Amino acid sequence: MNTKYLTRPTEVAKSFLKETLKKGDVVVDATMGNGNDTLFLANMVGEEGKVISFDIQDLAISNTRELLEKNRLSGVELIQDGHENMDTYIRDEISGAMFNLGYLPKGDHHIVTTAETTIVAIEKCLTFLKKNGIVTIVIYYGHDEGKIEKEKVINYVETLESNKFHVMKVDYINQTKEPPLLITIIKK
Ligand SMILES: C[S@@+](CC[C@H](N)C(=O)[O-])C[C@H]1O[C@@H](n2cnc3c(N)ncnc32)[C@H](O)[C@@H]1O
């Protein structure tokens, strides 16, 4: 692996998901944004699998739809609703989920994920997660709400029972400018 990938939490998250996901799996993109993670997940699980992606913004849905069409990928469910309502839409066990918190790049920076709804969404996600399934959460905290969200999400995941989950934090500890950090949760 090219080490450049290990300097970006989103790429580290993907490398963990690559180790665990297989064709036919059902997975969730909890924060669709411009669709990059949805595209990655769709390629991982193939046409026989299913990706269920959430975002609250029209722009995220249209950008993601366009990206998927460009890549000739279908069969992804693009849901315009908060990830905190994911239990309304998910019917199967899931093998993995990605959270990429913060605001839509090149979008409205005032529309951000918030601690309360993010934690509800993580909690719900874990109820659908299969044994050995993985949830990745990349936290951006360069903005005000991001700082609150970082503290609360870390406090929450620290409380997950150690006999049920492995929780890991990947943090770049010598960087300036508040680099994003990665949390992974694996179900035992
Ligand atoms: C950092 S972006 C995601 C980037 C994306 N994964 C990609 O590959 O481009 C965060 C996204 O979370 C969305 N968001 C904010 N609150 C949300 C919520 N309650 N449920 C789902 N998405 C939400 C924002 O609209 C924004 O598009």
Side-chain angles (χ1 to χ4, degrees), residues 12-160:
V12 178
K14 286 182 194 166
S15 68
F16 288 142
L17 287 155
K18 274 185 194 158
E19 290 296 321
T20 50
L21 297 182
K22 57 182 186 339
K23 302 286 181 208
D25 281 346
V26 180
V27 291
V28 168
D29 182 357
T31 49
M32 185 189 316
N34 290 320
N36 301 300
D37 297 333
T38 292
L39 177 64
F40 164 78
L41 290 169
N43 280 318
M44 283 290 103
V45 303
E47 284 189 357
E48 57 273 54
K50 182 155 71 168
V51 185
I52 310 166
S53 299
F54 297 89
D55 206 292
I56 51 176
Q57 297 193 60
D58 290 342
L59 184 60
I61 307 285
S62 54
N63 286 354
T64 302
R65 184 166 293 128
E66 199 180 309
L67 184 67
L68 293 171
E69 281 168 6
K70 216 186 271 175
N71 286 274
R72 299 176 197 281
L73 283 166
S74 55
V76 178
E77 285 182 35
L78 304 183
I79 296 170
Q80 188 169 2
D81 197 353
H83 41 216
E84 62 276 17
N85 301 321
M86 67 170 75
D87 53 325
T88 311
Y89 306 93
I90 301 175
R91 291 287 159 262
D92 310 283
E93 276 197 316
I94 62 169
S95 303
M98 296 181 81
F99 287 76
N100 200 337
L101 305 176
Y103 49 76
L104 180 66
K106 297 187 195 149
D108 182 344
H109 289 194
H110 296 101
I111 306 175
V112 293
T113 54
T114 60
E116 286 66 32
T117 46
T118 297
I119 290 169
V120 171
I122 298 169
E123 260 170 346
K124 288 188 176 176
C125 206
L126 295 179
T127 67
F128 292 102
L129 195 64
K130 274 184 179 170
K131 184 175 160 59
N132 297 323
I134 177 169
V135 176
T136 65
I137 307 162
V138 176
I139 308 179
Y140 295 84
Y141 55 97
H143 54 293
D144 290 345
E145 177 59 34
K147 291 182 181 54
I148 300 168
E149 190 176 37
K150 174 192 169 202
E151 290 310 312
K152 291 192 175 173
V153 168
I154 290 174
N155 289 344
Y156 164 66
V157 296
E158 281 174 354
T159 67
L160 291 172

